[in-house]
């Protein structure tokens, strides 16, 4: 090992100018280095204080929005085994799921689990024509629609179709259900047998079978003020119907793959209908001339969910890529994007979605077995609730507001054969 050299300096000996300058330079360099170290420590302390203050502000914002204790990050959960979007028959037996903690529910209160089907439930819809009855309809792979009242403890009021129905009332496995907005006795549902069924749900009688599609029919929506309905199918088409007369008015055929959802865009856009497709695109059609007036591109996988808020004039799209797009319906520009794969949900897929009655929140049915609720009045959107308890993919959600009780009601439909019901004060 090389030995270091040692020098001794007699401080009583006068040194020349060259040595004096060398010592000055060395002392100045040491002072500069020490100042930099001290400055770095100071910056680190400042950064830590800023980080703590920022975290405190975020926590206070969460508390103000949810009106409860600070939100806890959801426990990472691997995606539940799922079926292809509603193609395959029932999943394995339901397995228990952990209950949601109060801090993750954002002011929502879980009311009950509704087990009225023995196969996957693909769709749920509230009857907004009779809010006082708190009535909802569920559509299942068992080929039945159940009319269920949440009032007075909850009960099945009527069953439409099903495996034991008479021949003139039988349907195939069902993918979606909706109540007509202009005829309070009419309910529609779509089936894997390529048929759209219309029922008088008050009498429990089938009114007609609409046979215009050549493949499975996935979704439907009713117009707000006209006797018009739209249906979306695997045949790459959306059909606009006069549902009172049972005739086709328009066929929207500019899709390149299966169409999963369709939605009318309120009276302010009374001629427009949005469609979401497995070609990863959302199209806005003008029904008068069947032209595409808007083409929304964000997603990298099948687009399953679409909903519109009249109050906010926003369109939302949800996809198997785990993303939600929020679009301004006045310009068709992307307002913001929500990534539901955060917080340990790496494999999450978004199925159907639904705006709250006031348009301030958006609920997303997810393959992870959870319903994620976001405040979309802020950007970026704030996750205000993680509603769990399902043991398999959640495929649909529906909201209703009850002014009498002061509650928003939210119900989910799942492949685990059940629906779950939550309430939240508005």
């Amino acid at each position: 090992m090389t030995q270091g050299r040692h020098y001794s300096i007699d401080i009583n000996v006068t040194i020349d100018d060259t040595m004096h300058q060398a010592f000055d330079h060395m002392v100045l360099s040491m002072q500069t280095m020490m100042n930099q170290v001290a400055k770095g420590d100071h910056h680190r302390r400042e950064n830590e204080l800023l980080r703590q203050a920022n975290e405190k502000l975020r926590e206070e914002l969460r508390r103000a929005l949810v009106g409860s204790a600070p939100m806890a990050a959801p426990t990472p959960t691997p995606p539940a085994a799922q079926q292809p979007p509603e193609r395959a028959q029932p999943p394995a037996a339901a397995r228990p799921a952990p209950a949601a903690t109060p801090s993750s529910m954002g002011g929502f209160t879980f009311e009950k689990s509704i087990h009225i089907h023995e196969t996957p439930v693909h769709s749920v819809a509230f009857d907004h024509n009779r809010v006082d009855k708190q009535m909802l309809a569920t559509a299942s792979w068992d080929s039945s629609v159940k009319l269920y009242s949440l009032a007075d403890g909850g009960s099945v009021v009527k069953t439409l179709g099903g495996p034991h129905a008479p021949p003139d009332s039988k349907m195939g496995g069902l993918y979606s259900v909706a109540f007509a907005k202009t005829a309070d006795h009419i309910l529609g549902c779509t089936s894997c047998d390529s048929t759209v069924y219309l029922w008088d749900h008050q009498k429990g009688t089938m009114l007609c079978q609409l046979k215009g599609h050549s493949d499975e029919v996935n979704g439907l929506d009713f117009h707000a003020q006209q006797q018009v309905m739209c249906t979306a199918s695997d045949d790459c088409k959306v059909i606009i119907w006069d549902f009172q007369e049972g005739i086709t008015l328009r066929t929207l055929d500019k899709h390149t793959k299966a169409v999963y959802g369709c939605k009318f865009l309120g009276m302010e856009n009374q001629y427009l209908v949005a469609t979401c497709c497995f070609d990863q695109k959302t199209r806005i059609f003008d029904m008068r001339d069947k032209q595409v007036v808007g083409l929304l591109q964000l997603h990298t996988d099948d687009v399953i969910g679409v909903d519109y808020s009249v109050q906010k004039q926003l369109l939302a799209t949800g996809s198997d890529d785990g993303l939600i797009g929020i679009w301004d319906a006045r310009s068709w520009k992307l307002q913001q994007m929500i990534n539901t794969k955060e917080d340990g949900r790496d494999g999450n897929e978004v199925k159907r979605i639904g705006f709250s009655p006031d348009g301030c929140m958006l609920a997303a049915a997810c393959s992870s077995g959870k319903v994620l609720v976001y405040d979309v009045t802020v950007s970026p959107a704030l996750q205000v609730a993680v509603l769990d308890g399902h043991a398999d993919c959640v495929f649909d959600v529906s909201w209703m507001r009850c002014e009498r009780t002061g509650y928003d009601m939210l119900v989910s439909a799942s492949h685990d054969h059940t629906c779950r019901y939550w309430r939240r004060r508005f």
Side-chain angles (χ1 to χ4, degrees), residues 64 78 95 128 133 192 321 332:
R95 51 199 177 282
H128 293 275
K133 300 292 185 182
C192 66
D321 63 10
W332 300 123

Side-chain angles (χ1 to χ4, degrees), residues 109-123:
T109 301
F110 173 67
E111 296 295 328
K112 68 185 306 179
S113 177
I114 304 168
H115 192 169
I116 53 178
H117 294 280
E118 297 304 326
T119 58
V121 188
H122 288 138
S123 185

Side-chain angles (χ1 to χ4, degrees), residues 3 25 42 70 115 169 212 238 247 262 266 302 320 339 341:
Q3 297 293 322
H25 180 72
H42 177 69
H115 192 169
S169 298
V238 167
I247 59 175
C262 48
D302 301 341
D320 281 352
N339 183 5
K341 292 185 176 182

